[in-house]
Amino acid sequence: MSEILVTIAGTGSYVPERILTNAQLSVMVDTTDEWIFSRTGIRERRIAAEGEFTSHLATNAARKALEQAEMAAEDIELIIVATITPDTLTPATACYVQRNLGAHRAVAFDISAACSGFLYAMKIAKRLISDGAFNNALIIGAEKLSAFVNWEDRSTCVLFGDGAGAAVLRQAKPGEGEVIATEMGTDGNQTHLLNIPGGGSACPITTDNAGDHLSTLAMLGKEVFKHAVTRMKEAAEKVIERANLKPEDIACVIPHQANLRIIDAIADRLAVPNDRVFVNLDKYGNTSAAAVAIALDEANRTGAFKRGDHIVLVVFGAGLTWAAAAIRW
Ligand code: UT7
């Protein structure tokens, strides 16, 4: 029996309406547009409305991906939501999304791999489809990071934003594109570099520690930066090699959107010209698991690549975690 190939049949994304600019942030904490833009490349980010949760962002992105894939929600067999900002610790945000979409046949669960979650989900879904366990899958990266940011800490609050991106994966028909190669990695010795220390079983939030900002993101930015460049370069190189590609064969690199300086360093090390690297973090900041998914959808819909082109996605996040995928569109 020939191998089952897996294609991306549709992408979608959604960001909340409310824009928070660098100028507005400079009224809230001791910072400037100049500092934020020159150190990160971020101009503004989106903030979810009160009552708008991660599952709502995910559902909106998923609807657009289903529409592009010309697929009905009731035909979806698997839903994976990658998030570190779930609506509730349990049940999984994917269960709310399943309900919202009316995707009653789908098995639904979340994965927690921080900014790498969308590509972790892609590898899991690809394998489950190519093994024949499912015919299709809806994978979503969705975050409401604004609920987990310490708005008094200028070193982190300027970096993050809210949003969601989604993709429908299914068995490829002859002549369609293909998720060719995927790579994932983890270094659990670096958990201290980027985390939300409280709110889990190790450190429940109590009346005594409620004011200590333990359930918000804490990061040693400089250390994370160095690991990000090394790991993303290595992961991208692995999938490029496994897909038998050369840098000049790649129409578009879509990296995690955390910092323009990281993105430039990776493009340089991969020898891919900057005009083939997709960037939208100026508009949305770092949306963790959603970032590469939103970027993939925007790149797809704005014609950054076309059918038959090769693209490379590469991500990095807390854990530490990293991942990459080489895709023929
Ligand atoms: O998504 C997961 C992966 N995450 C990442 O990849 C993030 C990786 N790290 C980074 O992107 C960068 O390290 C940051 C953007 C977070 C920080 O940039 P940096 O160039 O590493 O700055 P820094 O943390 O070393 O801070 C430099 C200075 C410090 O002042 P002193 O000690 O030199 O006087 C900070 O206090 O900038 C100060 N600073 C700020 N100043 C104005 C920190 N945040 C701000 C701010 N506005 N918002």
Side-chain angles (χ1 to χ4, degrees):
M1 211 174 81
S2 63
E3 193 196 346
I4 295 173
L5 304 182
V6 177
T7 196
I8 297 182
T11 62
S13 61
Y14 172 81
V15 291
E17 265 174 43
R18 185 179 154 212
I19 295 172
L20 180 64
T21 64
N22 290 351
Q24 288 168 317
L25 268 171
S26 68
V27 178
M28 296 161 57
V29 289
D30 181 15
T31 192
T32 58
D33 173 51
E34 200 280 327
W35 190 96
I36 301 171
F37 186 69
S38 63
R39 297 284 177 134
T40 69
I42 300 167
R43 289 275 189 213
E44 57 190 41
R45 68 287 295 140
R46 299 300 179 102
I47 305 293
E50 211 178 313
E52 190 175 35
F53 310 142
T54 298
S55 63
H56 299 129
L57 310 180
T59 303
N60 289 339
R63 287 204 173 105
K64 292 185 190 165
L66 287 168
E67 191 185 339
Q68 192 176 73
E70 298 179 353
M71 194 110 110
E74 53 266 35
D75 292 332
I76 288 291
E77 298 181 8
L78 174 66
I79 298 173
I80 308 176
V81 173
T83 187
I84 55 165
T85 56
D87 287 19
T88 50
L89 283 181
T90 193
T93 299
C95 300
Y96 300 115
V97 173
Q98 190 237 35
R99 177 199 62 194
N100 294 349
L101 293 172
H104 53 88
R105 283 175 62 203
V107 172
F109 60 88
D110 288 0
I111 60 161
S112 175
C115 309
S116 307
F118 185 72
L119 292 192
Y120 271 46
M122 186 178 288
K123 179 160 185 134
I124 295 165
K126 180 195 167 190
R127 178 57 70 190
L128 289 172
I129 295 170
S130 63
D131 281 357
F134 297 91
N135 288 306
N136 60 54
L138 173 61
I139 60 168
I140 307 168
E143 303 285 9
K144 183 178 174 177
L145 287 162
S146 60
F148 296 86
V149 160
N150 175 357
W151 290 105
E152 292 168 12
D153 174 14
R154 69 174 183 175
S155 72
T156 52
C157 76
V158 303
L159 304 173
F160 300 102
D162 301 337
V168 174
L169 273 62
R170 62 160 167 72
Q171 291 185 8
K173 297 174 193 142
E176 285 189 329
E178 179 199 347
V179 180
I180 307 170
T182 50
E183 165 71 13
M184 301 195 291
T186 304
D187 181 0
N189 288 315
Q190 312 295 341
T191 51
H192 59 289
L193 294 185
L194 177 50
N195 58 26
I196 298 176
S201 60
C203 178
I205 302 302
T206 64
T207 45
D208 288 339
N209 67 20
D212 297 344
H213 296 295
L214 295 171
S215 59
T216 55
L217 282 156
M219 176 165 71
L220 296 173
K222 262 204 190 330
E223 285 305 306
V224 174
F225 191 113
K226 287 182 223 156
H227 286 280
V229 173
T230 312
R231 296 302 193 180
M232 286 167 86
K233 174 197 168 259
E234 287 169 359
E237 279 175 349
K238 278 189 185 152
V239 295
I240 290 168
E241 190 188 324
R242 272 188 233 138
N244 284 320
L245 298 173
K246 296 193 174 55
E248 56 270 29
D249 300 328
I250 302 164
C252 189
V253 173
I254 304 178
H256 176 48
Q257 307 284 312
N259 189 315
L260 191 56
R261 290 184 291 142
I262 295 177
I263 293 174
D264 286 345
I266 292 159
D268 192 45
R269 284 163 175 73
L270 293 177
V272 174
N274 281 15
D275 62 357
R276 294 204 196 161
V277 180
F278 194 82
V279 175
N280 65 2
L281 91 167
D282 50 319
K283 296 186 290 180
Y284 307 131
N286 181 349
T287 58
S288 186
V292 79
I294 297 171
L296 173 64
D297 181 51
E298 289 197 349
N300 179 22
R301 287 175 192 260
T302 56
F305 50 81
K306 55 185 189 316
R307 184 151 291 288
D309 278 350
H310 289 98
I311 66 170
V312 170
L313 279 56
V314 59
V315 293
F316 180 84
L320 299 173
T321 57
W322 55 90
I327 298 167
R328 193 180 63 256
W329 200 256

